[in-house]
Amino acid sequence: MKITPLKLAVVGLPLVALVVSAQEREDRTLLSQAEMTAIINEVSGERAMHHVLELVPYQRVRPPAEYQAPYRESRVMADFAKEYGFSNVAIETYGTPTAAWQPTVGELWMTAPRNVKLFDIHDVALSLASLNANGDLAGELVDVGPGRAQDFEGKDVKGRFVLSSGSTNATYAQAVQRGAIGVLGISVIGYQRATDFPTQIVSSNVNAQPGTVAWSLTPEVRNNLSALLTRGERITIRSVVKSTPVMLKSEYVHAEIPGDGSTSQEVAISGHLYEGVIKQGANDDNSGCALTLEIGRAYIKLINEGKLPRPKRTINFQWVPEIVGTHAYLNAHPEKKKAIIGTLNFDMEAIRIADSRSFWVLQRTPDTFPSYLNDIAQSMMEYVADISRERVRFRRNLTGYAPTQPVESPRGSKDAFYIKIDKHYGSSDHVTYMQHGIPAVMFITWPDMWYHSSEDTPDKQDSTQYKRAAAVGLGSLAALASGTDEMAARILADNLGRGLSRMGESHTKGLGDMADAGDAAGPTTAYKEAKNAIQHQAGIEKAVVRSASVLWTDVTAGQKKTATFEPLIDARAGSLLNEVKAAYQLQAAQRAVAAAEPLMTAEEKEAASLIVEAVPPPPGAGPGGGFGGGGRGPATGPSLPDEFNAELGLLIPKKLSVLQIRDFLSGEFTPLPVADVLAVLRAREKAGSVKITPKPADPKATPKRK
């Protein structure tokens, strides 16, 4: 849109007056605009970047001496936390130390047809896949392609090194059976990224046998070696590795911002400092730790300056080994498990989004764990995203394209802030909190083209992304930790408003499915699914409202306040169901078929009569699935699409009918055939992880004898 000088003349108003009159009320969120402005001014993307540069300036070979004291990352986090004024800062160890190997020397050479050092662990730490290897090995190189069993046929690899385009782990297992002394492979993920990132090594660990070794190559080096072999060159390889035995310990860092003492409730904010102590990732997830440290620093400063009130709820900062560290902390501190009412988890936060073709994503709690917490995070995320972009209706002048309130770092990008509110996904510490009964959400940058690789280094990060994430994180944390009845009511209002939007999404999905139905019977099936989706979402929204009762200073009073909205949500669902019915009648009329109310099919009646129960795993078996784990099931046989499996694992222990499970999954995601769900459950029954029994007869339905 262009404003011409002629149009300005016609308006006949001074420019300043024009700009002022054009302003609208700024977008709202849970904190006041003054508080959000104070947060945006204080949080520093540069400081967060400084933190990560102290934590993992480069991927390094950890010296054996670190195993005798706190690791570098723990010391950095604890020292900064003390400097910034956090309370109760502690580095805690847990579990029993275990024997491990720390490489100190690792060199991979091509010695013929020319002498070239291919890799050195002090250049690329992740190149050595077998951390327990020791020795000076030499031999000829044989190319086995993908490294499957059939790829070894007719090839003598005894006493030789094997070159593979397949997984280092899988190829190693095949190669050593045939007498090979070493494997040079690439990760499957690395192969998928090979076109865009030919110099990247994806992390891989191999438990190598004595006298053997495993190396991970970049796709570029692997392809160059393969090309030499293809043209008839004889290649010899030499591997020199020295590793030192160490006692591997586990530790986490904990710190607090204390509440005002008026409540026993607490909240948490977390990031994982370790994903094993060998692999070190700048974005995965030292970025989450660097970010949450900055969130805490800024919060303490704003409290001290009187720009934010001191929270009533104590805030727990957890920097842990991923998942296992959170389990260890909550198990060691049951009083915290009981007190914490919500957690914000940050995992992979600082990648420059434009470079990685990414979004900054909020992963909500699953429908099996409805929570007020999702909308706190979403509200802040959308607020910062909106003020970070130029909007025509908020143009400040006629010459620039400025955001309403720029959230940018001095040395960061001016990229757009691409965000996405997404359904639940597991595989981080928010999963662990939920397994302990604590609602938790995750913020993550996805995709990350460098995660778990040799290129997960600070140069891929953007201090502007840090600043925006810190503003979202601190705003969310301040609302969560507030502890006032006023904030409880504001959060509940957000739950109600955003809940209407979610019910509307279910409504839209159902209407679209009916419109898309191709045959005469299609609208009836789609109508049944549309009703299920609306009823499912109404049940979730009522549970979200109930969950918000914990936010009141008197939880019992909070339960009474939130309960008044449940019948209103039912009424809202009723209105949507009436609209769906009218749309169904329209679709049926267009197809010249009767708009009959759908009846239960024979399959559905059978599914409604079967109850599913979980069978406890045998002693020594790993934990079951859920919140991303998918539950125990057969390695082969029928399966549901990936997005359904975490929820399926959580629904199985609830002793629901097969039909109730199907309806829940279909309502949360997309319609599933009853037969598909039953087939998966029967396969799990055969594998011994579930039990399916007939539903007990309802005694009220049994006629009494005279």
Side-chain angles (χ1 to χ4, degrees):
M1 181 177 68
K2 184 178 181 181
I3 300 178
T4 66
L6 176 61
K7 290 180 180 177
L8 282 174
V10 171
V11 173
L13 292 174
L15 180 60
V16 172
L18 176 67
V19 171
V20 170
S21 66
Q23 294 301 303
E24 301 177 23
R25 187 176 184 275
E26 185 51 81
D27 300 53
R28 66 167 296 281
T29 191
L30 295 167
L31 303 184
S32 70
Q33 191 174 7
E35 289 172 325
M36 289 306 301
T37 297
I39 287 171
I40 290 165
N41 284 332
E42 182 56 39
V43 293
S44 169
E46 305 301 338
R47 283 181 184 254
M49 185 70 82
H50 298 163
H51 296 157
V52 88
L53 289 170
E54 294 286 348
L55 288 164
V56 55
Y58 55 91
Q59 294 180 354
R60 64 196 176 90
V61 175
R62 196 180 296 277
E66 273 195 37
Y67 295 87
Q68 306 300 319
Y71 299 123
R72 174 192 179 121
E73 296 91 327
S74 296
R75 296 196 311 271
V76 167
M77 295 300 293
D79 289 348
F80 270 126
K82 291 173 184 176
E83 177 186 338
Y84 293 154
F86 286 75
S87 300
N88 300 325
V89 180
I91 300 173
E92 297 185 29
T93 59
Y94 65 92
T96 302
T98 57
W101 292 91
Q102 172 61 59
T104 57
V105 174
E107 298 178 4
L108 182 67
W109 292 80
M110 178 176 69
T111 54
R114 55 185 178 273
N115 199 38
V116 178
K117 184 192 279 189
L118 299 175
F119 289 101
D120 188 313
I121 61 171
H122 293 279
D123 297 333
V124 184
L126 293 183
S127 57
L128 181 62
S130 50
L131 305 178
N132 57 330
N134 257 313
D136 189 334
L137 305 173
E140 190 174 345
L141 184 64
V142 179
D143 193 344
V144 296
R148 302 161 300 183
Q150 60 266 35
D151 299 319
F152 284 85
E153 292 177 5
K155 296 178 181 177
D156 181 10
V157 300
K158 187 173 183 179
R160 292 175 167 84
F161 282 87
V162 163
L163 177 67
S164 173
S165 61
S167 161
T168 307
N169 265 292
T171 303
Y172 177 86
Q174 294 289 337
V176 294
Q177 291 176 12
R178 297 163 173 82
I181 59 173
V183 168
L184 283 58
I186 62 175
S187 163
V188 173
I189 298 175
Y191 194 72
Q192 292 168 347
R193 299 179 191 167
T195 300
D196 289 342
F197 305 101
T199 61
Q200 182 180 109
I201 291 177
V202 175
S203 177
S204 182
N205 291 330
V206 175
N207 186 22
Q209 298 177 15
T212 67
V213 69
W215 288 84
S216 290
L217 308 182
T218 64
E220 180 181 65
V221 169
R222 188 267 160 200
N223 292 341
N224 289 342
L225 292 173
S226 181
L228 287 173
L229 291 171
T230 299
R231 72 187 193 195
E233 297 280 4
R234 178 179 178 273
I235 298 177
T236 57
I237 296 294
R238 183 186 177 197
S239 168
V240 181
V241 176
K242 295 180 182 178
S243 295
T244 299
V246 294
M247 294 305 293
L248 184 65
K249 64 185 187 303
S250 299
E251 63 190 30
Y252 51 74
V253 186
H254 172 77
E256 294 177 358
I257 296 178
D260 67 3
S262 64
T263 177
S264 61
Q265 290 182 339
E266 301 186 10
V267 300
I269 182 169
S270 65
H272 67 268
L273 196 56
Y274 303 102
E275 202 168 318
V277 297
I278 298 295
K279 185 188 82 66
Q280 302 152 28
N283 200 49
D284 184 19
D285 178 39
N286 279 263
S287 68
C289 299
L291 172 69
T292 52
L293 181 65
E294 169 56 16
I295 288 171
R297 181 206 66 81
Y299 202 172
I300 291 168
K301 186 170 184 287
L302 291 171
I303 291 169
N304 292 339
E305 292 175 347
K307 295 177 181 177
L308 287 179
R310 176 167 294 281
K312 293 183 177 297
R313 299 182 179 110
T314 291
I315 304 168
N316 296 273
F317 289 76
Q318 303 293 352
W319 301 302
V320 297
E322 188 176 22
I323 298 178
V324 293
T326 299
H327 273 305
Y329 179 80
L330 293 173
N331 288 335
H333 299 277
E335 75 285 359
K336 293 290 186 181
K337 175 178 174 178
K338 182 178 179 181
I340 294 172
I341 65 165
T343 299
L344 306 173
N345 182 51
F346 291 83
D347 189 345
M348 302 162 55
E349 310 305 330
I351 285 294
R352 184 171 179 182
I353 292 175
D355 287 351
S356 193
R357 307 190 287 273
S358 308
F359 284 80
W360 196 49
V361 181
L362 169 66
Q363 303 282 358
R364 298 169 52 84
T365 64
D367 280 4
T368 50
F369 202 137
S371 177
Y372 69 88
L373 182 61
N374 297 302
D375 294 324
I376 296 177
Q378 182 172 345
S379 173
M380 291 295 170
M381 200 171 187
E382 291 178 344
Y383 177 86
V384 174
D386 276 341
I387 64 173
S388 296
R389 65 184 178 92
E390 196 274 348
R391 291 175 288 177
V392 172
R393 72 181 191 276
F394 288 156
R395 298 192 76 179
R396 292 180 174 178
N397 53 58
L398 303 178
T399 59
Y401 290 84
T404 309
Q405 186 174 4
V407 186
E408 299 166 358
S409 284
R411 293 188 293 175
S413 76
K414 294 183 181 295
D415 290 348
F417 190 28
Y418 298 111
I419 66 165
K420 175 68 177 175
I421 314 301
D422 216 344
K423 291 183 181 292
H424 169 77
Y425 180 73
S427 298
S428 190
D429 293 277
H430 62 305
V431 171
T432 314
Y433 281 99
M434 285 189 281
Q435 288 172 337
H436 286 265
I438 301 166
V441 295
M442 175 174 69
F443 299 90
I444 187 169
T445 309
W446 195 258
D448 176 349
M449 297 299 180
W450 302 284
Y451 98 115
H452 285 201
S453 86
S454 57
E455 295 186 351
D456 185 1
T457 47
D459 56 293
K460 313 301 188 306
Q461 298 188 352
D462 178 12
S463 55
T464 288
Q465 174 66 10
Y466 266 129
K467 183 176 178 72
R468 291 167 175 172
V472 172
L474 179 45
S476 301
L477 189 61
L480 178 60
S482 166
T484 66
D485 286 356
E486 178 188 0
M487 181 57 72
R490 290 178 70 88
I491 292 170
L492 177 62
D494 232 42
N495 293 152
L496 289 166
R498 295 178 188 278
L500 173 60
S501 176
R502 289 186 288 270
M503 291 181 70
E505 289 171 7
S506 295
H507 183 43
T508 301
K509 179 175 70 173
L511 293 174
D513 287 345
M514 284 191 292
D516 291 342
D519 56 22
T524 303
T525 302
Y527 173 47
K528 182 188 293 188
E529 295 292 354
K531 290 172 63 178
N532 177 62
I534 291 170
Q535 291 163 342
H536 169 87
Q537 197 61 46
I540 298 303
E541 298 310 326
K542 288 191 288 184
V544 168
V545 165
R546 285 195 296 272
S547 77
S549 63
V550 74
L551 298 172
W552 266 265
T553 51
D554 182 341
V555 175
T556 302
Q559 290 170 343
K560 294 178 180 178
K561 294 177 190 294
T562 59
T564 61
F565 291 94
E566 291 195 40
L568 300 177
I569 293 172
D570 284 330
R572 178 193 293 173
S575 296
L576 294 177
L577 289 169
N578 287 336
E579 288 188 20
V580 164
K581 183 175 183 178
Y584 167 53
Q585 291 169 341
L586 172 63
Q587 294 296 333
Q590 287 182 306
R591 291 165 173 78
V593 296
E597 280 295 312
L599 302 174
M600 286 185 72
T601 65
E603 271 187 334
E604 289 170 338
K605 290 178 181 178
E606 179 191 12
S609 71
L610 299 174
I611 301 299
V612 182
E613 298 180 52
V615 175
F627 299 115
R632 291 187 301 128
T636 59
S639 63
L640 299 178
D642 285 348
E643 66 269 23
F644 293 91
N645 287 317
E647 288 288 67
L648 176 62
L650 291 163
L651 291 168
I652 285 173
K654 296 181 181 293
K655 296 184 178 181
L656 303 173
S657 73
V658 174
L659 185 62
Q660 286 174 314
I661 291 174
R662 189 228 76 103
D663 286 350
F664 192 101
L665 294 174
S666 296
E668 182 174 1
F669 300 105
T670 52
L672 278 170
V674 174
D676 289 0
V677 177
L678 185 56
V680 169
L681 292 171
R682 287 294 188 195
R684 294 194 178 198
E685 181 182 40
K686 186 176 180 180
S689 64
V690 304
K691 179 172 66 174
I692 302 175
T693 56
K695 184 177 182 179
D698 184 354
K700 295 180 180 178
T702 304
K704 294 181 179 179
R705 292 184 179 180
K706 294 183 179 180

